[in-house]
Amino acid sequence: MDDLSTIRSETLAAVAAAADARALDAARVAALGRNGRVTGLMKTLGTLPPEERKTFGQTVNALKDEIATALDARKAEIDRSALSARLEAERLDVSLPARPERMGTLHPIGQTIDEICAIFGEMGFVWAEGPDIEDDWHNFEALNFPPDHPARQMQDTFFLPPRADGVPMVLRTHTSPVQARTMLDNDVQKRLADGGSLRVIVPGRTFRTDSDQTHTPMFHQVEGLVIDRTTHMGHLKGCLTDFCRAFFEVEDLPLRFRPSYFPFTEPSAEVDIGCSWKGGELRIGAGDSWLEILGCGMVHPNVLRHCNIDPEIYQGFAFGMGIERVAMLKYGIPDLRTFFESDLRWLRHYGFSALDVPNLTGGLSR
Ligand code: 2NL
């Protein structure tokens, strides 16, 4: 058996020579482990004569403490130099170019709504919104839909369970209930009574039970409404002509107003814009073909009456268009259903930069 001073000097030398945590632990186990050399010394205690045991025990314990202190000190040194080595090796190069982040894009529906609202905003229209879930009165009754109108039958409309008061509820089939709510608004009523006017533009989601190549159960509309004491059909034509030319960015775009029918307007018209098909490709502008873009008309007196507006004093025009349809025409998107598939490749192709906010001075679209 080695003597105490040999064990001491060899152990302290091993601790001092340990280059890393693993070597240091090996030195600790060799001295203080269950089969370690210092532990071995302790085990000989019983073989000594009683008068030597106390001194020997104290000496071995002092050695244990000395080794433990040396282990701690060496451990701190190893940690410090490991940290220095890391700091030296893992230097941050702040001059490296930033890793590019992939930017999201705006959906063409939102972009098209923004464009349309920017154009009507220039003309003094204010934006309004309302609930997707409507009561039968705001969606149909107020808008002069007769009880036998096809939209009021099961096949076209998503009917919901009736409200607590028994009123039938629907997913709105158009955004018109928002205009009805706007006309009924106290501030608007007061403004009209004071000789002012109402000009409102209403974009939003609408719902019908259609689903095929050219119809999705949820789609988007923008409707507009103007009410005052003097607005007539000439204003309607001028307003919608200016709108179509600004939206499609064709200055001399020809328009055609065709007589039509809507329950909430009288007279009613559908608006076509001029176009041509060259080699299967659509060109918007003067040409020999027409494309239907929107519906419009003078607000029906029954609608005004339902909304507490006296048709003997006030009149106005209204219009509506499908967003998907005009977005497809403007941006050459061939398939309606792709709007709602959330395909990232499609969104990257047809999406718009979040920084490209449409406005008439900066150019509506780029
Ligand atoms: C279309 C045609 C239209 C209206 C919507 C309307 C709303 C009120 C009063 C009168 Cl509150 N009219 N809206 C009028 C004419 C046509 O939409 O083809 N939409 C996609």
Side-chain angles (χ1 to χ4, degrees):
M1 148 108 45
D2 298 322
D3 74 350
L4 195 133
S5 75
T6 309
I7 292 174
R8 176 178 177 278
S9 61
E10 285 178 6
T11 299
L12 291 179
V15 168
D20 55 23
R22 188 199 285 261
L24 191 63
D25 199 53
R28 181 188 61 76
V29 172
L32 307 178
R34 200 135 56 92
N35 301 312
R37 297 166 85 188
V38 178
T39 314
L41 287 175
M42 256 334 191
K43 285 180 189 158
T44 65
L45 206 61
T47 66
L48 294 178
E51 64 278 12
E52 289 179 25
R53 280 182 201 167
K54 187 173 174 200
T55 328
F56 186 76
Q58 283 172 348
T59 313
V60 174
N61 272 329
L63 177 59
K64 268 171 93 172
D65 288 348
E66 191 184 4
I67 292 170
T69 306
L71 282 167
D72 286 348
R74 184 68 193 138
K75 169 103 172 59
E77 270 173 33
I78 289 172
D79 287 351
R80 244 192 327 276
S81 64
L83 181 63
S84 308
R86 263 190 76 189
L87 288 173
E88 193 60 36
E90 298 176 15
R91 215 173 285 205
L92 182 68
D93 184 351
V94 292
S95 70
L96 280 175
R99 224 172 280 157
E101 293 233 9
R102 193 171 251 178
M103 284 244 273
T105 56
L106 299 182
H107 195 282
I109 293 294
Q111 180 77 10
T112 304
I113 287 174
D114 289 351
E115 289 174 17
I116 294 169
C117 291
I119 297 167
F120 285 106
E122 287 279 309
M123 301 188 208
F125 285 69
V126 297
W127 169 93
E129 66 177 0
D132 288 357
I133 296 173
E134 269 294 359
D135 55 78
D136 183 84
W137 190 87
H138 285 98
N139 195 76
F140 293 128
E141 193 76 25
L143 300 166
N144 201 39
F145 278 69
D148 61 346
H149 192 279
R152 298 191 72 159
Q153 255 91 87
M154 286 303 232
Q155 67 265 23
D156 285 352
T157 304
F158 287 105
F159 286 88
L160 300 173
R163 210 164 54 190
D165 58 5
V167 169
M169 300 298 281
V170 299
L171 289 182
R172 68 180 180 192
T173 57
H174 39 203
T175 53
S176 324
V178 183
Q179 289 97 281
R181 289 176 179 279
T182 305
M183 286 186 270
L184 287 161
D185 180 85
N186 283 329
D187 292 346
V188 170
Q189 294 269 333
K190 212 158 134 276
R191 180 142 39 90
L192 288 175
D194 291 345
S197 63
L198 167 64
R199 293 177 190 175
V200 69
I201 189 81
V202 183
R205 269 191 269 275
T206 52
F207 307 85
R208 307 222 181 136
T209 56
D210 291 333
S211 187
D212 58 39
Q213 285 243 349
T214 55
H215 298 86
T216 47
M218 188 280 298
F219 57 103
H220 296 78
Q221 275 195 340
V222 170
E223 285 189 59
L225 173 72
V226 173
I227 307 276
D228 62 23
R229 296 166 197 240
T230 54
T231 288
H232 54 66
M233 194 107 183
H235 296 123
L236 176 157
K237 291 183 75 176
C239 174
L240 295 179
T241 302
D242 281 357
F243 163 73
C244 289
R245 290 176 176 173
F247 180 76
F248 290 105
E249 296 168 293
V250 178
E251 236 172 274
D252 57 353
L253 181 66
L255 268 80
R256 181 171 79 171
F257 288 76
R258 254 184 311 109
S260 186
Y261 172 81
F262 300 108
F264 34 43
T265 46
E266 181 60 36
S268 304
E270 277 168 312
V271 180
D272 303 333
I273 57 171
C275 70
S276 59
W277 294 91
K278 277 224 174 71
E281 201 192 317
L282 171 67
R283 284 263 307 270
I284 291 172
D288 48 15
S289 297
W290 296 99
L291 270 176
E292 187 185 319
I293 292 300
L294 46 81
C296 60
M298 300 306 294
V299 180
H300 197 290
N302 288 346
V303 175
L304 294 174
R305 263 190 287 272
H306 276 129
C307 298
N308 288 340
I309 293 173
D310 183 352
E312 297 297 327
I313 302 175
Y314 302 97
Q315 57 195 1
F317 67 82
F319 55 87
M321 74 192 93
I323 308 293
E324 285 80 359
R325 179 173 168 74
V326 295
M328 286 168 82
L329 291 171
K330 181 166 179 177
Y331 293 112
I333 299 170
D335 185 347
L336 170 75
R337 291 170 295 188
T338 56
F339 278 102
F340 310 115
E341 282 172 353
S342 301
D343 183 332
L344 284 179
R345 292 164 305 173
W346 184 91
L347 285 168
R348 256 174 232 128
H349 182 80
Y350 289 109
F352 293 84
S353 161
L355 304 173
D356 264 354
V357 178
N359 67 78
L360 296 187
T361 39
L364 203 57
S365 52
R366 267 143 276 187

